């Protein structure tokens, strides 16, 4: 089992470009989360999904979009990249919610917007 | 305001020392999480606990629900324990969304 796979590992974008961060899991988990981690700060929730077809905003959703067409995939879309989106992005999953089950993280995507 | 505060922010220890990292939280819903972020960036879940104490190898996590405080202890520390340790608590809603502390960076010297 691969667990949670994120691609790409690194990416440099120019201001105004768009890209999709991919997240795939093979654990059949319902709950999936996208976080960003800025230097010296705690992880912040961008978007989450409690199952295929269901997504909702987290604490810092502006500038991002998500979709969840399958249980396995939860891509994060940046439409018009801005320097403020320079960060490390983590995808995570749990079985029934982080109230009751541990999080499984991908290895992260380091994004730089210049 | 929902907050998770960790102390210390940075910790340097000699190999073999006993380590304690502290976490204070504000909401107190369900289980508290302890995570480890490796120097390469990957994050793994260490513990979830809502009462008492849990032990895994040389790592011990304790929680005091009344005081909304948790500690992570590392016995006989080793350089491979060098990492950032993060605590997080659920802050509401059925989705189990978490609020994360800023982390404690631990460096264990040989």
């Amino acid at each position: 089992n691969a667990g949670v796979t994120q691609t790409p590992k690194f990416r440099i974008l120019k201001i105004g470009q768009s890209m999709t961060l991919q997240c795939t899991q093979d654990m059949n988990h319902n709950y999936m989360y996208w976080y960003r981690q800025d230097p010296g700060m705690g992880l912040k929730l961008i978007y989450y999904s409690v199952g295929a077809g269901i997504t909702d905003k987290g604490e810092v959703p502006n500038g991002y979009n998500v979709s969840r067409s399958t249980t396995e995939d939860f891509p994060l879309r940046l439409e018009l990249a801005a320097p403020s989106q320079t960060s490390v992005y983590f995808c995570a999953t749990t079985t029934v919610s982080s109230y009751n089950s541990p999080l499984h993280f991908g290895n992260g995507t380091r994004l730089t917007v210049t | 305001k929902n907050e998770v505060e960790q102390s210390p922010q940075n910790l340097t220890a000699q190999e073999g020392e006993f380590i304690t990292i502290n976490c204070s939280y504000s909401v107190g819903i369900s289980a508290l999480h302890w995570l480890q972020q490796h120097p390469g960036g990957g994050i793994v879940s260490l513990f979830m606990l809502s009462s008492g104490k849990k032990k895994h190898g040389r790592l011990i996590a304790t929680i005091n629900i009344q005081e909304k405080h948790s500690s992570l202890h590392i016995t006989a520390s080793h350089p491979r324990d060098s990492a950032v340790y993060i605590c997080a608590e659920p802050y509401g809603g059925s989705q189990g969304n978490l609020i994360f502390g800023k982390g404690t960076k631990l460096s264990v010297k040989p």
Side-chain angles (χ1 to χ4, degrees):
Chain A
N1 287 349
V4 182
T5 302
Q6 283 186 245
T7 56
K9 287 186 169 54
F10 304 94
R11 184 72 187 267
I12 299 174
L13 280 182
K14 294 191 185 302
I15 295 171
Q17 286 184 324
S18 61
M19 76 165 293
T20 299
L21 282 68
Q22 301 290 348
C23 177
T24 299
Q25 54 108 351
D26 62 0
M27 296 178 288
N28 203 33
H29 286 176
N30 286 323
Y31 287 70
M32 296 187 75
Y33 305 88
W34 274 106
Y35 297 99
R36 60 177 287 171
Q37 186 179 41
D38 299 316
M41 302 297 292
L43 289 151
K44 301 287 187 187
L45 181 65
I46 305 171
Y47 271 94
Y48 66 94
S49 170
V50 301
I54 306 169
T55 62
D56 209 345
K57 296 176 181 178
E59 187 179 357
V60 290
N62 291 344
Y64 307 95
N65 276 299
V66 294
S67 59
R68 184 95 181 270
S69 56
T70 66
T71 299
E72 294 78 18
D73 298 307
F74 190 41
L76 178 71
R77 179 83 178 161
L78 283 70
E79 289 294 350
L80 289 169
S84 60
Q85 294 178 304
T86 294
S87 190
V88 181
Y89 292 84
F90 288 96
C91 177
T93 73
T94 61
T95 51
V96 291
S97 95
S98 54
Y99 279 178
N100 304 305
S101 57
L103 286 163
H104 299 262
F105 284 85
N107 286 330
T109 295
R110 185 175 294 274
L111 175 67
T112 302
V113 182
T114 62
Chain B
K1 182 184 173 187
N2 300 334
E3 285 185 342
V4 174
E5 300 283 346
Q6 289 187 237
S7 63
Q9 284 187 308
N10 294 283
L11 182 56
T12 301
Q14 288 298 127
E15 183 173 357
E17 286 186 0
F18 181 83
I19 305 293
T20 295
I21 297 169
N22 297 298
C23 175
S24 295
Y25 56 96
S26 59
V27 178
I29 298 173
S30 191
L32 186 90
H33 294 248
W34 280 103
L35 309 165
Q36 180 191 54
Q37 185 166 23
H38 301 295
I43 302 174
V44 296
S45 178
L46 296 176
F47 296 103
M48 283 180 58
L49 70 166
S50 53
S51 65
K53 176 165 63 173
K54 285 192 175 180
K55 185 173 188 287
H56 186 257
R58 295 179 294 103
L59 272 60
I60 304 166
T62 63
I63 191 166
N64 184 318
I65 296 166
Q66 286 74 27
E67 295 185 4
K68 292 189 171 64
H69 181 270
S70 178
S71 293
L72 178 68
H73 306 285
I74 305 174
T75 62
S77 60
H78 189 276
R80 65 175 174 266
D81 297 325
S82 297
V84 176
Y85 293 85
I86 301 167
C87 68
E89 67 155 344
Y91 66 86
S94 60
Q95 304 82 6
N97 299 333
L98 298 176
I99 184 165
F100 293 81
K102 295 179 182 179
T104 294
K105 185 175 183 179
L106 171 65
S107 178
V108 182
K109 305 294 186 188

